[in-house]
Amino acid sequence: MAKGVPNSDKDFGQNYKDPNVVLASKKANSKYYSEHMAEAAGSTVAYDKNLAAIEKFATGRTIKSLEQTLTYKSAEQVVDAVSGATLVDTHGYLKAILDAAKAAK
């Protein structure tokens, strides 16, 4: 079973009504989540390893460089650009990093 995020069983999770589902961090529960994704979708790379590959790719890049990567025509091309990452939403993760970099600028 996944371990919930702090306070998910108290104030933080008070509006979440399904008692059978835990509000959890995919990263903190990488082993559990990765096993589920392997079973459900045939994933072969653990979630935390995917995130590490995305972080490694983005580290040291300029905003312009990240923007250029995100102009690729398909999500598959973005995944191919990030060596080691196989997440379907690699584009979304890079976009979040780009948005954070722009906000910090």
Side-chain angles (χ1 to χ4, degrees):
M1 177 181 259
K3 181 180 176 188
V5 294
N7 205 21
S8 61
D9 60 340
K10 296 185 178 73
D11 292 345
F12 181 69
Q14 72 183 1
N15 292 320
Y16 197 75
K17 303 296 181 199
D18 189 341
N20 299 313
V21 177
V22 175
L23 293 174
S25 162
K26 291 177 188 175
K27 189 172 183 180
N29 293 285
S30 181
K31 183 176 188 251
Y32 175 83
Y33 182 73
S34 297
E35 288 171 355
H36 172 70
M37 292 311 300
E39 188 177 297
S43 177
T44 59
V45 178
Y47 184 74
D48 57 344
K49 303 290 187 224
N50 274 295
L51 289 185
I54 292 167
E55 292 168 6
K56 181 178 178 181
F57 177 84
T59 299
R61 294 197 182 265
T62 63
I63 287 174
K64 185 175 182 174
S65 173
L66 289 172
E67 287 173 334
Q68 180 63 39
T69 301
L70 294 173
T71 64
Y72 292 156
K73 294 182 177 134
S74 70
E76 291 83 16
Q77 287 176 314
V78 175
V79 171
D80 288 345
V82 182
S83 179
T86 61
L87 294 174
V88 172
D89 197 26
T90 296
H91 182 281
Y93 286 96
L94 285 177
K95 176 81 168 79
I97 292 168
L98 174 62
D99 290 348
K102 285 181 174 180
K105 188 174 172 188

